[in-house]
Amino acid sequence: MQMKNQIGGGIFVISLLASGCAVTPPSADYTSFRAADPRSILIVPVMNNSVNVNAAENFLSTLAPPFANRGYYVFPAYMTRRVMEDDGIGDPGLVHSAPTTRLGEIFDCDAALYVVIERWESKTVIISTSTTVDLSYVLRSCRTGDEIWRNRQTLTYTPQSQNSGGDPLVNLIAQAVAAIAEKAAPSYIPLAQQANLQAAATAGFGLPAGPYSPAYKADGGVFRSGPVN
Amino acid sequence: MRVCTLIACAAASAALGGCETPKGFAWGQYEQALYRYSKTPQAREAYELALEQAVDLGRRQNRIAPGLQAELGFVRLERGDTSGAISLFQAEAQSFPESARFMNQVIRSLSAPAGADRPAVDPATGPGQAQPVT
């Protein structure tokens, strides 16, 4: 049933596009991105502005797949981080303020991805726990140092217990238990994975298809160059 | 209301580019394994195994994921298997020409006679804070 719905919706959207009556979907301006035309992306050490000291360490594992899956060569995240440490640029604050062209000299990367963790927190108010990740993404050319893309994702998750009606006290307890469980083991990683996927792959705002994608250079209508509408 | 759901559903799958690469790169358990390794150094063997399996699957199905051969090579290097590491770095450079200059530079520094040059990758260097310890 779920499948059928998707197919139905797909046909609906295709016919909308084909008939030409659809309004142009929104897009950021990809002029500088298209000019840089990157094939490869280096993930630089993640800057952590949150109060959670382990956030950056645990977050690194989630970054490469969603960006590579857009069709780019993504440098080995763990290995390159260790090489940067040995090269004296492993400190996120240092590498984020150093010229990107220096990374181009070391790694021969086309672009470097700078991610800043703005928030990575779990808060309990009364009997409800909310987990939030707030991430900003900037891609710079390793050749010129210019910024060629940026995105920001703020995602919050608040577990809701199954409200089966009936006894309000039972519902209250169920809600409190769900809040305690979320507080003990906040869903940071699933939220971060979702944020990365949305940042990398949202039509009109993510990364255009790269050279390893069949859609390479065929998505100019979705990721447009020119003034933002 | 129903139509809205249909549109939202299709838009969501289209917006996330789900249909662009039907098979995609073979990541295997890479992400979960690296996550565990970043939390506990003891998980290194499991990380290495996850990389081996993902690389193997990717080679068999011709959809090897970028970076994984190099990551596996680096794990081998960390436990002293320099020749195993070099052949994996060579494989990475061959599969992905974008990595060739960096990989060749690493291979050169590993092949250099001891003391001749400071290696680009030095597994003996102490890891920073909260690093998986070799």
Side-chain angles (χ1 to χ4, degrees):
Chain A
M1 193 57 203
Q2 185 69 19
M3 194 64 182
K4 207 174 163 188
N5 282 354
Q6 284 192 352
I7 293 165
I11 290 165
F12 183 80
V13 169
I14 288 164
S15 58
L16 255 182
L17 293 173
S19 66
C21 67
V23 282
T24 326
S27 169
D29 182 359
Y30 284 87
T31 307
S32 53
F33 186 93
R34 298 289 187 188
D37 190 22
R39 297 184 60 89
S40 63
I41 297 172
L42 174 77
I43 297 169
V44 307
V46 173
M47 179 108 99
N48 184 8
N49 287 345
S50 82
V51 291
N52 189 322
V53 288
N54 295 321
E57 191 68 27
N58 301 338
F59 172 63
L60 181 73
S61 65
T62 66
L63 267 176
F67 286 88
N69 288 344
R70 293 296 298 150
Y72 296 89
Y73 177 74
V74 174
F75 282 81
Y78 179 70
M79 175 182 181
T80 51
R81 199 194 52 185
R82 294 291 302 275
V83 169
M84 283 185 248
E85 281 164 9
D86 280 0
D87 251 356
I89 51 169
D91 176 67
L94 205 64
V95 71
H96 278 241
S97 58
T100 311
T101 47
R102 168 97 182 94
L103 298 171
E105 289 160 18
I106 301 172
F107 295 99
D108 195 27
C109 48
D110 290 336
L113 178 64
Y114 295 80
V115 181
V116 180
I117 299 173
E118 306 288 358
R119 283 166 69 202
W120 186 275
E121 62 194 27
S122 199
K123 279 187 175 163
T124 303
V125 177
I126 319 205
I127 55 159
S128 170
T129 301
S130 290
T131 304
T132 299
V133 300
D134 179 357
L135 303 165
S136 85
Y137 307 79
V138 173
L139 200 64
R140 292 183 187 280
S141 162
C142 292
R143 314 298 176 193
T144 64
D146 294 340
E147 177 182 317
I148 56 174
W149 174 81
R150 71 161 52 229
N151 200 291
R152 184 157 180 171
Q153 298 287 334
T154 308
L155 274 71
T156 296
Y157 170 69
T158 309
Q160 299 294 328
S161 65
Q162 293 292 323
N163 192 329
S164 50
D167 193 335
L169 182 62
V170 171
N171 289 336
L172 200 66
I173 292 168
Q175 179 62 44
V177 169
I180 290 164
E182 177 65 17
K183 190 181 182 183
S187 341
Y188 293 125
I189 293 299
L191 275 177
Q193 286 168 326
Q194 183 63 27
N196 293 340
L197 185 63
Q198 285 176 199
T202 301
F205 296 96
L207 288 192
Y212 289 97
S213 164
Y216 182 50
K217 291 195 170 163
D219 54 4
V222 181
F223 301 94
R224 288 195 303 280
S225 300
V228 177
N229 58 350
Chain B
M1 188 58 198
R2 189 172 165 74
V3 173
C4 282
T5 317
L6 292 180
I7 295 170
C9 197
S13 55
L16 293 176
C19 19
E20 267 171 30
T21 39
K23 291 182 86 187
F25 295 125
W27 295 100
Q29 298 297 306
Y30 157 78
E31 215 179 303
Q32 298 87 328
L34 178 57
Y35 174 70
R36 283 192 208 105
Y37 182 33
S38 73
K39 298 198 99 168
T40 47
Q42 290 78 19
R44 195 177 72 185
E45 273 178 37
Y47 174 55
E48 184 172 0
L49 184 66
L51 287 172
E52 279 168 4
Q53 289 172 342
V55 165
D56 188 48
L57 181 72
R59 282 179 180 166
R60 274 188 284 120
Q61 299 185 345
N62 197 25
R63 53 189 192 101
I64 190 133
L68 293 198
Q69 292 170 106
E71 296 282 34
L72 182 57
F74 193 74
V75 175
R76 297 266 158 87
L77 183 65
E78 283 185 317
R79 61 171 175 72
D81 178 6
T82 308
S83 63
I86 288 176
S87 71
L88 281 156
F89 295 150
Q90 284 166 340
E92 177 80 9
Q94 197 146 36
S95 306
F96 298 99
E98 295 85 355
S99 72
R101 214 182 81 183
F102 173 51
M103 288 298 138
N104 290 336
Q105 203 178 311
V106 172
I107 292 165
R108 263 199 308 278
S109 70
L110 289 171
S111 315
D117 210 357
R118 183 184 160 276
V121 180
D122 182 2
T125 304
Q129 284 182 333
Q131 294 296 318
V133 180
T134 59

Coordinates of all heavy atoms in Angstrom, one line a residue, chain A residues 37-73:
Chain A
D37 N 33.4 22.9 -10.2 CA 33.2 21.5 -10.7 C 34.0 20.5 -10.0 O 34.8 19.8 -10.6 CB 33.5 21.5 -12.2 CG 33.0 20.2 -12.9 OD1 32.2 19.5 -12.3 OD2 33.6 19.8 -13.9
P38 N 33.9 20.4 -8.6 CA 34.7 19.5 -7.9 C 34.4 18.0 -8.1 O 33.3 17.6 -8.4 CB 34.4 19.8 -6.4 CG 33.0 20.3 -6.5 CD 32.9 21.0 -7.8
R39 N 35.5 17.2 -8.1 CA 35.3 15.7 -8.2 C 35.6 15.1 -6.9 O 35.1 13.9 -6.6 CB 36.4 15.1 -9.2 CG 36.3 15.6 -10.7 CD 37.3 14.9 -11.5 NE 37.1 13.4 -11.5 CZ 36.3 12.8 -12.3 NH1 35.6 13.4 -13.3 NH2 36.1 11.5 -12.2
S40 N 36.4 15.7 -6.0 CA 36.7 15.1 -4.8 C 36.5 16.0 -3.6 O 36.6 17.3 -3.8 CB 38.2 14.7 -4.8 OG 39.0 15.8 -5.0
I41 N 36.2 15.4 -2.5 CA 35.9 16.2 -1.2 C 36.8 15.7 -0.1 O 36.8 14.5 0.2 CB 34.4 16.1 -0.9 CG1 33.5 16.7 -2.0 CG2 34.1 16.8 0.5 CD1 32.0 16.5 -1.8
L42 N 37.4 16.6 0.6 CA 38.2 16.2 1.8 C 37.4 16.7 3.0 O 37.0 17.9 3.1 CB 39.5 16.9 1.8 CG 40.4 16.8 3.0 CD1 41.0 15.4 3.1 CD2 41.5 17.8 3.1
I43 N 37.1 15.8 4.0 CA 36.4 16.2 5.2 C 37.5 16.7 6.2 O 38.4 15.9 6.6 CB 35.7 15.0 5.8 CG1 34.6 14.6 4.8 CG2 35.1 15.4 7.1 CD1 33.9 13.3 5.2
V44 N 37.4 18.0 6.6 CA 38.4 18.5 7.5 C 37.9 18.2 8.9 O 36.7 18.0 9.1 CB 38.7 20.0 7.3 CG1 39.1 20.2 5.9 CG2 37.5 20.8 7.7
P45 N 38.8 18.2 9.9 CA 38.3 17.9 11.3 C 37.1 18.8 11.7 O 37.1 20.0 11.4 CB 39.6 18.3 12.2 CG 40.7 17.9 11.3 CD 40.2 18.4 9.9
V46 N 36.1 18.2 12.3 CA 34.9 18.9 12.6 C 35.1 19.8 13.8 O 35.7 19.4 14.8 CB 33.8 17.8 12.9 CG1 32.5 18.5 13.4 CG2 33.5 17.0 11.7
M47 N 34.6 21.0 13.7 CA 34.7 22.0 14.8 C 33.5 21.8 15.7 O 32.4 21.7 15.2 CB 34.7 23.4 14.2 CG 34.7 24.5 15.2 SD 36.3 25.2 15.2 CE 35.9 26.7 14.3
N48 N 33.8 21.8 17.0 CA 32.7 21.5 17.9 C 32.4 22.7 18.8 O 33.2 23.0 19.7 CB 33.1 20.3 18.8 CG 32.0 19.9 19.8 OD1 30.9 20.4 19.7 ND2 32.3 19.0 20.6
N49 N 31.4 23.4 18.5 CA 31.0 24.6 19.4 C 29.9 24.2 20.4 O 29.4 25.1 21.1 CB 30.4 25.7 18.5 CG 31.5 26.4 17.7 OD1 32.7 26.3 18.0 ND2 31.1 27.2 16.7
S50 N 29.6 22.9 20.5 CA 28.6 22.5 21.5 C 29.3 22.3 22.8 O 30.5 22.3 22.9 CB 27.9 21.3 21.0 OG 28.6 20.1 21.3
V51 N 28.4 22.0 23.8 CA 29.0 21.8 25.1 C 29.3 20.3 25.3 O 29.9 19.9 26.3 CB 28.0 22.2 26.3 CG1 28.0 23.7 26.3 CG2 26.7 21.6 26.1
N52 N 29.0 19.4 24.3 CA 29.2 18.0 24.4 C 30.6 17.7 23.9 O 30.8 17.8 22.7 CB 28.1 17.3 23.6 CG 28.2 15.8 23.9 OD1 29.3 15.2 24.0 ND2 27.0 15.1 23.9
V53 N 31.5 17.3 24.7 CA 32.9 17.2 24.3 C 33.2 16.1 23.3 O 34.1 16.2 22.5 CB 33.9 17.1 25.5 CG1 34.0 18.3 26.3 CG2 33.5 15.9 26.4
N54 N 32.4 15.1 23.4 CA 32.6 13.9 22.5 C 31.9 14.0 21.1 O 32.0 13.1 20.3 CB 32.2 12.6 23.2 CG 33.0 12.3 24.4 OD1 34.2 12.5 24.4 ND2 32.4 11.8 25.4
A55 N 31.2 15.1 20.9 CA 30.3 15.2 19.8 C 31.1 15.0 18.5 O 30.7 14.2 17.6 CB 29.6 16.5 19.8
A56 N 32.2 15.7 18.3 CA 32.9 15.7 17.0 C 33.5 14.3 16.7 O 33.4 13.8 15.6 CB 34.0 16.7 17.0
E57 N 34.0 13.7 17.7 CA 34.6 12.4 17.6 C 33.6 11.3 17.1 O 33.8 10.6 16.2 CB 35.2 11.9 18.9 CG 36.1 10.7 18.9 CD 37.4 11.0 18.2 OE1 37.8 12.1 18.1 OE2 37.9 10.0 17.6
N58 N 32.4 11.3 17.7 CA 31.4 10.4 17.4 C 30.7 10.7 16.0 O 30.2 9.8 15.4 CB 30.3 10.3 18.5 CG 30.9 9.9 19.8 OD1 32.0 9.3 19.8 ND2 30.2 10.3 20.9
F59 N 30.8 12.0 15.7 CA 30.1 12.4 14.5 C 30.8 12.1 13.2 O 30.2 11.9 12.1 CB 29.9 13.9 14.6 CG 29.3 14.6 13.4 CD1 28.0 14.3 12.9 CD2 30.0 15.6 12.8 CE1 27.5 15.0 11.8 CE2 29.5 16.3 11.7 CZ 28.3 15.9 11.2
L60 N 32.1 12.0 13.2 CA 32.9 11.8 12.0 C 32.5 10.6 11.2 O 32.5 10.7 10.0 CB 34.4 11.7 12.4 CG 35.4 11.5 11.2 CD1 35.5 12.8 10.5 CD2 36.7 11.0 11.6
S61 N 32.1 9.6 11.9 CA 31.8 8.3 11.1 C 30.6 8.5 10.2 O 30.4 7.7 9.3 CB 31.5 7.2 12.2 OG 30.3 7.5 12.9
T62 N 29.7 9.5 10.5 CA 28.5 9.6 9.7 C 28.6 10.5 8.5 O 27.7 10.6 7.7 CB 27.4 10.3 10.6 OG1 27.8 11.7 10.8 CG2 27.1 9.6 11.9
L63 N 29.8 11.1 8.3 CA 29.9 12.1 7.2 C 30.2 11.6 5.8 O 29.6 12.1 4.8 CB 31.0 13.2 7.6 CG 30.5 14.4 8.4 CD1 31.7 15.2 8.8 CD2 29.5 15.2 7.6
A64 N 31.1 10.7 5.6 CA 31.5 10.3 4.3 C 30.4 9.8 3.4 O 30.2 10.2 2.3 CB 32.7 9.4 4.4
P65 N 29.7 8.7 3.9 CA 28.7 8.1 3.0 C 27.7 9.0 2.3 O 27.6 9.0 1.1 CB 28.0 7.0 3.8 CG 29.1 6.7 4.8 CD 29.8 8.0 5.1
P66 N 27.0 9.9 3.0 CA 26.0 10.7 2.3 C 26.6 11.6 1.3 O 25.9 11.9 0.3 CB 25.3 11.5 3.5 CG 26.2 11.4 4.6 CD 27.0 10.1 4.5
F67 N 27.8 12.2 1.5 CA 28.4 13.1 0.5 C 29.0 12.3 -0.7 O 28.8 12.6 -1.8 CB 29.4 14.0 1.2 CG 28.8 15.0 2.0 CD1 28.4 14.8 3.3 CD2 28.4 16.2 1.4 CE1 27.8 15.8 4.1 CE2 27.7 17.2 2.2 CZ 27.4 17.0 3.5
A68 N 29.6 11.1 -0.4 CA 30.1 10.3 -1.5 C 29.0 9.8 -2.3 O 29.1 9.7 -3.5 CB 30.9 9.1 -0.9
N69 N 27.9 9.4 -1.7 CA 26.7 8.9 -2.4 C 26.1 9.9 -3.4 O 25.4 9.5 -4.3 CB 25.6 8.4 -1.5 CG 26.0 7.1 -0.7 OD1 27.0 6.4 -1.2 ND2 25.3 6.8 0.3
R70 N 26.5 11.1 -3.3 CA 26.0 12.1 -4.3 C 26.9 12.0 -5.6 O 26.6 12.7 -6.6 CB 26.1 13.6 -3.7 CG 25.1 13.8 -2.6 CD 23.7 13.8 -3.1 NE 23.4 14.7 -4.1 CZ 22.5 14.6 -5.1 NH1 21.8 13.4 -5.1 NH2 22.3 15.5 -6.0
G71 N 27.9 11.2 -5.5 CA 28.7 11.0 -6.7 C 30.1 11.6 -6.7 O 30.7 11.9 -7.7
Y72 N 30.7 11.8 -5.4 CA 32.0 12.3 -5.3 C 33.0 11.4 -4.7 O 32.6 10.5 -3.9 CB 31.9 13.6 -4.4 CG 31.1 14.7 -5.0 CD1 29.7 14.7 -4.8 CD2 31.7 15.6 -5.9 CE1 29.0 15.7 -5.4 CE2 30.9 16.5 -6.5 CZ 29.6 16.6 -6.3 OH 28.8 17.5 -6.9
Y73 N 34.3 11.6 -5.0 CA 35.3 10.9 -4.3 C 35.5 11.6 -2.9 O 35.8 12.8 -2.9 CB 36.6 10.9 -5.0 CG 37.7 10.2 -4.2 CD1 37.7 8.8 -4.1 CD2 38.7 10.9 -3.5 CE1 38.6 8.1 -3.3 CE2 39.6 10.3 -2.7 CZ 39.6 8.9 -2.6 OH 40.5 8.2 -1.8

